[in-house]
Amino acid sequence: MATRGSRSEKVKRIFQQFDVNRDGGLNREEMAALVVAVNPRVKFSDEQINAILDEVFRTYGEFIDGENGLTYEGLLRTYDDGAGDVDRDFDALGLELNLEEAKGISEASSSSIADERALGLESQKKQRIAAWAISPNHGIVFDDTWKIVEDMEILIKRLKSKQAKDGKLRGENFDAYSDAGWSRELGPSTEISDKRVFWEESGADYALFVKELGALRSRADGARSREEAFDGHMAIGRVLYEHQLFKEALVSFKRACELQPVDVRPHFRAGNCHYVLGNHKVAKEEFLLALEAAENGGNQWGYLLPQIYVNLGIALEGEGMVLSACEYYREAAILCPTHFRALKLLGSALFGVGEYRAAVKALEEAIFMKPDYADAHCDLASALHGMGEDERAIEVFQKAIDLKPGHVDALYNLGGLYMDLGRFQRASEMYTRVLAVWPNHWRAQLNKAVSLLGAGETEDAKKALKEALKMTNRVELHDAISHLKQLQKKKVKSNNGGANGEGSFIIVEPSKFKTVGEKTMSRQDLACALQIRTFQRITRLGRCDLEVLKKEMIDGDVPVSYSGSGIPEKSIRKPILEEILRRLLNFLKPETFQGAVKAINERILSVLDEQGSGRVDLGMFFAVLAPICSGPPEKRKRVAFDALLWRPVNEGISQIKRVDAVRYIKLLRAIFVPSQGVSEMMEIHGETDDSLMSYTEFLVMLDDPDWGFGIMPTLLKLETGDRNRHGQHVCSVCRYPIIGSRFKEMKSHFSLCNQCYSEGKVPSTYKLEEYRFKEYGSEAEAMKDKCMCFNVQSHNGP
């Protein structure tokens, strides 16, 4: 870790290089030259340079010396606030530091702050302490605090020595959590896991350390003033945090919060500790307290606001609240346009909720400012893939891997992209590289097996599957192994030379598929219902209790707003809607909830917010959700009607306007049945009828098989039976065990699974003028049917 002394000396050398007229300040021209020189790989436009300079000269106005420009202290402050990386810039300029000078830095060159605070300690002592200690933003103020810090360092060194000797200490990078202007101390989970140090807390040596630490805390509490006690506890906390003793650091920051409740710093530091310890909700609460204190404190805490916004966003992402996190990343980027990490996090979060175009824009900005940002390249490539720009995505993934050869996410996602493109050999190579870095990555192992299968390497695929099964005992792996066994038995040839393990098949036009019996689902209805069922699984809305949804309508205090047409609506912003969704899906883990929000945003909110205003009609949203939530169909329909009644335009009456019902059906079909002629429905029904409609009339419209939501009976059948297994029966096309309904062709006697039936696939060996299918929901139904046929034959026999 660079000492404060060497760091400030580097800043001074940078300052002197660009203070061409030697007037003690960097004017706009000199500052522009500095920005360009330290970013040699970036081509700035004049507008971008001016925007950066405007922000610097506005933010650091107190350090502007008239026409001379930004002073040395101002430039030092910009680096303290994280607006650049001192070491990187120093190296980019090809400068060299005189080591003898740096080692014995004079009081003047080390920092004027040391003089101002009259610490009275030798500069060599200061250099042994982390850079934050004499930083103008977080620094130590009192002499006695320095003594406590020195004693703290001795205690930690002693503990480290004992635990390293006993082999209890795990982890190597003790400088992983250095102070960071860009909130690097609260980095992504991969950074934390790479650099985390784990202390053994159960032994006698740790107990002794805690006891001695208690004595130091008592010294801080016994200080002459409340301010000095606060200074002591903050310094103890910072030293502990530096050495990744997060639980103990948290104790100190909490005590500092008690001493000065309106100070931003202890809340901010406590939030960081809680986040690293996995307490995301409490971290969020601490960051919100820090934000409130910063906003009430005027310009005093302006330098810290971007960091609070960023870390608050990260804590919200930890809870799965990605739409809310986007809001705070935006705030950080607005406050500090050069904050490349805020832009990267914003882009990643936007990608996480399916806003691909906006994600690409933010991530490209982050890379423009920091071209070697591997994580940003990885997420940009993922967003490009989401937009269908696959060739460009491959190039950007490769750039991320060039920058960081062991980048697991880039390797894994590139493997997935190659799989999507049918380049199975390349995909298996990527997954092999993931496993070299992360040997227990079961998803990579499973995908490697699938890609090998796609490449026709059945034996290697079988070995890879068995390895995946050792890592996780998931049912889909058992099914995959059964699938491979079926392939080996059948030895069928595939349309694509064995790709995906499918037998040779043809796709038949829908008119040739006939159904036998009233219970057999039509191919088109099943295809649509399968898509809705997949959406239910991703979002877990199939487990969402309608009573909870009704409670949100009864208890929710949503203010009425007016659209451009003057129609009253209970419309809310997407981040607030996300909070409501969190209550509806409170049983989900954060990462699962994040996936649910992405699917809901892509499929539902994109249609409800067609204008891109960021606001959603909440009553209409509830009405759209109701048909796919859990509960009997009658109740779902009633809640949908009640949600439409709840809207301000219908409030206080027991009927809804026909125009609202028509719009609702239009939206419902646009979201869930997009292939079945919404525009034709609107031409026939129109949207100008203001007459009222009762619940009974609403049901008739909703259940209409052609113009309503007549898909619901098929969906209900899938919900109740899509886990049914059919013994040893496998699909004659895909060769997978049949789960859900089995569709038996009555003449040729082959069977299809839900998916192949819905796609119109039949084995190429059976070419018929028409195909007649009968659906069996379970093996018991098939056996009953077989017995009945046998009885009929016996009855008609000789």
Side-chain angles (χ1 to χ4, degrees), residues 262 264 289-302 304-305 308:
V262 296
V264 174
L289 288 171
L291 183 59
E292 184 183 355
E295 289 174 342
N296 292 336
N299 294 329
Q300 180 186 3
W301 304 112
L304 198 52
L305 265 176
I308 298 171

Side-chain angles (χ1 to χ4, degrees), residues 322-342:
V322 185
L323 283 170
S324 302
C326 287
E327 295 282 286
Y328 291 108
Y329 296 144
R330 279 195 189 93
E331 289 292 334
I334 290 167
L335 276 178
C336 188
T338 57
H339 200 320
F340 53 80
R341 189 159 186 265

Side-chain angles (χ1 to χ4, degrees), residues 228-264:
E228 189 169 343
F230 172 83
D231 194 44
H233 282 291
M234 282 298 292
I236 292 171
R238 290 299 299 274
V239 173
L240 291 165
Y241 191 96
E242 289 281 321
H243 293 282
Q244 303 192 41
L245 289 153
F246 300 116
K247 290 180 183 176
E248 299 304 329
L250 187 56
V251 173
S252 294
F253 293 135
K254 282 182 176 177
R255 177 66 183 131
C257 287
E258 292 168 5
L259 289 165
Q260 292 193 13
V262 296
D263 195 297
V264 174

Side-chain angles (χ1 to χ4, degrees), residues 49 95 100 148 261 320 332 378 393 430 568 622 642 648 712 715 770 780:
I49 286 287
L95 298 174
E100 288 303 314
I148 290 175
C378 176
M430 292 302 112
F622 284 150
D642 290 344
M712 189 178 278
L715 178 62
E770 83 175 14

Side-chain angles (χ1 to χ4, degrees), residues 37-107:
V38 298
N39 293 282
R41 297 167 66 184
V42 180
K43 293 183 179 179
F44 290 102
S45 67
D46 291 342
E47 291 80 6
Q48 288 169 327
I49 286 287
N50 285 327
I52 292 170
L53 296 183
D54 289 345
E55 181 62 25
V56 170
F57 280 73
R58 180 182 65 79
T59 305
Y60 300 98
E62 61 187 295
F63 295 100
I64 303 299
D65 181 15
E67 293 182 1
N68 295 343
L70 187 71
T71 61
Y72 158 71
E73 288 77 12
L75 185 62
L76 185 62
R77 172 67 74 88
T78 67
Y79 280 111
D80 283 337
D81 290 352
D85 185 315
V86 177
D87 295 328
R88 191 196 69 167
D89 291 356
F90 195 79
D91 292 340
L93 295 170
L95 298 174
E96 291 184 7
L97 193 62
N98 185 319
L99 295 178
E100 288 303 314
E101 263 183 43
K103 189 175 179 181
I105 289 175
S106 66
E107 289 180 21

